[in-house]
Amino acid sequence: MTTTRTLPQAFRRLRRSEGLRALVRETRLSPADFVYPLFVAHGQGLRREIESMPGQYQLSVDQLAAEAEELRSLGIPAMLLFGLPAAKDEAGSEAYDPDGIVQRAVRALKRAAPDLVVITDVCLCEYTSHGHCGVVVDGPDGQAEVDNDRTLPLLARIVLSHAEAGADIVAPSDMMDGRVAAIRTALDEADFGHTPIMAYAAKQASAFYGPFRVAAESAPQFGDRRGYQMDAANAREAMREIEADIEEGADIVMVKPALPNLDIIARARQRFELPLAAYNVSGEYAMVKAAALAGHLDERSAALEVLTAIKRAGADIVITYHAKDAARWLRE
Ligand code: PBG
């Protein structure tokens, strides 16, 4: 007669050495998972460190070839571009200017590094004088608000200008209703049926975008974004947002911010079969960085722990300011 020993279970047996731990590791982080966000500004030889995000820079277009080469050497396949316009106006017109900052950056990058996947963030907030993600009008109650349907044609215009410049993927982050359908139609009608859309699908109104708004100079000049971005309390609504973007033609869906939304990432992973991206946003980067600079935690292990958790929750693609550091740490 055989006896089977069930208790106590021995978990520690496989934790005794790094070799054993590596053998049974369930989630493996790789530089191939990362997308690196970048802020592009007008000028020459510009490399201005962003105060709210130590280690991140606003770069001029001439700096991008070197940046692309660095990403290639680190095995990071993609970059997400944000632009700082020369001037802001009510309509955010530089956002769709064929010679705007992002359009120039895309052309330079595709020339210098054709294999790098260039993703462009599609939004108006960096370009409008009021800092909102759409067209501001007087609402029914006399309060200024962002008009959904008047914003859609502008988003379509931005997207076409990015596609014409050579963007590999366009990523609308504005959170207007119906924008994926509007953008898909515009792309298809202009012979850009091959250009994929990565939709910021479940994007919450989050305090964690604070450092980004310093970096991109895009803080709203009045009010906030709660009239269009999601309420962080709502998980079922997040599923409906993702579902709607998929029905409208999204090719990749995104959850943002990542760390406060690991449950949403896990639910989306179970429910949808599309590639799933998660954005480890500026505030998540800044809080690890600030604590590390103050000597309160070890940046390397904290950042890798966060990124691993985001992947473990179910993200296929992790957009992170820690991409270059993490790629180096993973190689060591
Ligand atoms: C533009 C946009 C924002 C972010 C990405 N695209 C800011 C916002 O919605 O206010 C945030 C990214 C980050 O915090 O790293 N709408």
Side-chain angles (χ1 to χ4, degrees), residues 111-252:
R111 224 177 293 128
D115 293 339
L116 180 77
V117 176
V118 177
I119 309 171
T120 54
D121 182 87
V122 175
C123 199
L124 282 159
C125 59
E126 294 118 74
Y127 302 89
T128 48
S129 43
H130 46 69
H132 278 289
C133 304
V135 177
V136 172
V137 297
D138 287 330
D141 48 8
Q143 288 266 1
E145 64 174 41
V146 172
D147 188 284
N148 195 85
D149 292 1
R150 274 191 235 184
T151 303
L152 300 181
L154 291 186
L155 296 172
R157 251 178 108 172
I158 300 174
V159 159
L160 288 183
S161 73
H162 290 182
E164 273 155 19
D168 294 298
I169 300 179
V170 291
S173 67
D174 52 282
M175 292 302 280
M176 297 304 120
D177 288 335
R179 90 267 205 224
V180 174
I183 287 169
R184 185 70 269 159
T185 305
L187 284 169
D188 292 350
E189 284 174 356
D191 281 339
F192 289 107
H194 56 279
T195 303
I197 298 173
M198 176 166 83
Y200 285 71
K203 174 175 174 177
Q204 298 172 342
S206 169
F208 289 99
Y209 309 152
F212 171 96
R213 292 179 189 166
V214 174
E217 301 168 9
S218 65
Q221 297 304 302
F222 63 89
D224 54 43
R225 304 210 200 291
R226 287 181 293 177
Y228 40 103
Q229 298 180 346
M230 280 194 60
D231 186 330
N234 297 353
R236 293 192 304 266
E237 186 191 352
M239 296 305 108
R240 290 175 53 224
E241 276 277 9
I242 296 171
E243 195 166 35
D245 282 1
I246 294 173
E247 279 167 8
E248 290 178 35
D251 300 281
I252 301 172

Side-chain angles (χ1 to χ4, degrees), residues 205-213 257 259-260 280-287:
S206 169
F208 289 99
Y209 309 152
F212 171 96
R213 292 179 189 166
L259 213 39
N280 177 223
V281 300
S282 58
E284 300 171 51
Y285 171 84
M287 84 188 160

Side-chain angles (χ1 to χ4, degrees), residues 8-323:
Q9 289 206 50
F11 292 109
R12 293 188 54 194
R13 210 178 278 144
L14 291 174
R15 292 177 192 160
R16 289 194 63 241
S17 69
E18 180 47 28
L20 288 168
R21 290 191 293 271
L23 185 70
V24 298
R25 191 156 291 140
E26 297 174 29
T27 307
R28 285 172 211 277
L29 210 52
S30 151
D33 304 324
F34 301 147
V35 174
Y36 185 57
L38 214 63
F39 301 95
V40 195
H42 289 279
Q44 273 287 322
L46 179 80
R47 197 176 172 80
R48 189 191 298 136
E49 189 165 19
I50 299 160
E51 201 196 328
S52 57
M53 302 173 71
Q56 305 301 315
Y57 299 82
Q58 294 176 343
L59 300 175
S60 52
V61 172
D62 56 286
Q63 307 290 302
L64 296 179
E67 200 70 29
E69 172 50 29
E70 192 181 1
L71 294 185
R72 195 201 53 76
S73 72
L74 290 168
I76 299 166
M79 175 190 273
L80 173 62
L81 283 182
F82 296 94
L84 289 99
K88 297 175 193 267
D89 56 34
E90 211 38 37
S93 55
E94 194 180 319
Y96 43 85
D97 183 343
D99 210 25
I101 187 65
V102 162
Q103 294 80 354
R104 284 192 207 189
V106 171
R107 285 194 294 269
L109 280 164
K110 291 315 294 181
R111 224 177 293 128
D115 293 339
L116 180 77
V117 176
V118 177
I119 309 171
T120 54
D121 182 87
V122 175
C123 199
L124 282 159
C125 59
E126 294 118 74
Y127 302 89
T128 48
S129 43
H130 46 69
H132 278 289
C133 304
V135 177
V136 172
V137 297
D138 287 330
D141 48 8
Q143 288 266 1
E145 64 174 41
V146 172
D147 188 284
N148 195 85
D149 292 1
R150 274 191 235 184
T151 303
L152 300 181
L154 291 186
L155 296 172
R157 251 178 108 172
I158 300 174
V159 159
L160 288 183
S161 73
H162 290 182
E164 273 155 19
D168 294 298
I169 300 179
V170 291
S173 67
D174 52 282
M175 292 302 280
M176 297 304 120
D177 288 335
R179 90 267 205 224
V180 174
I183 287 169
R184 185 70 269 159
T185 305
L187 284 169
D188 292 350
E189 284 174 356
D191 281 339
F192 289 107
H194 56 279
T195 303
I197 298 173
M198 176 166 83
Y200 285 71
K203 174 175 174 177
Q204 298 172 342
S206 169
F208 289 99
Y209 309 152
F212 171 96
R213 292 179 189 166
V214 174
E217 301 168 9
S218 65
Q221 297 304 302
F222 63 89
D224 54 43
R225 304 210 200 291
R226 287 181 293 177
Y228 40 103
Q229 298 180 346
M230 280 194 60
D231 186 330
N234 297 353
R236 293 192 304 266
E237 186 191 352
M239 296 305 108
R240 290 175 53 224
E241 276 277 9
I242 296 171
E243 195 166 35
D245 282 1
I246 294 173
E247 279 167 8
E248 290 178 35
D251 300 281
I252 301 172
V253 286
M254 191 203 298
V255 174
K256 173 186 176 200
L259 213 39
N261 283 315
L262 296 178
D263 61 326
I264 310 278
I265 296 171
R267 279 173 77 159
R269 171 71 300 150
Q270 284 184 358
R271 189 148 156 184
F272 306 107
E273 303 293 344
L274 264 71
L276 180 63
Y279 200 145
N280 177 223
V281 300
S282 58
E284 300 171 51
Y285 171 84
M287 84 188 160
V288 170
K289 203 76 183 176
L293 288 171
H296 297 324
L297 53 71
D298 177 60
E299 183 179 12
R300 174 189 165 133
S301 38
L304 290 177
E305 187 175 324
V306 165
L307 296 172
T308 302
I310 295 168
K311 189 169 179 189
R312 188 196 65 223
D316 303 299
I317 299 166
V318 184
I319 305 167
T320 177
Y321 303 95
H322 265 123

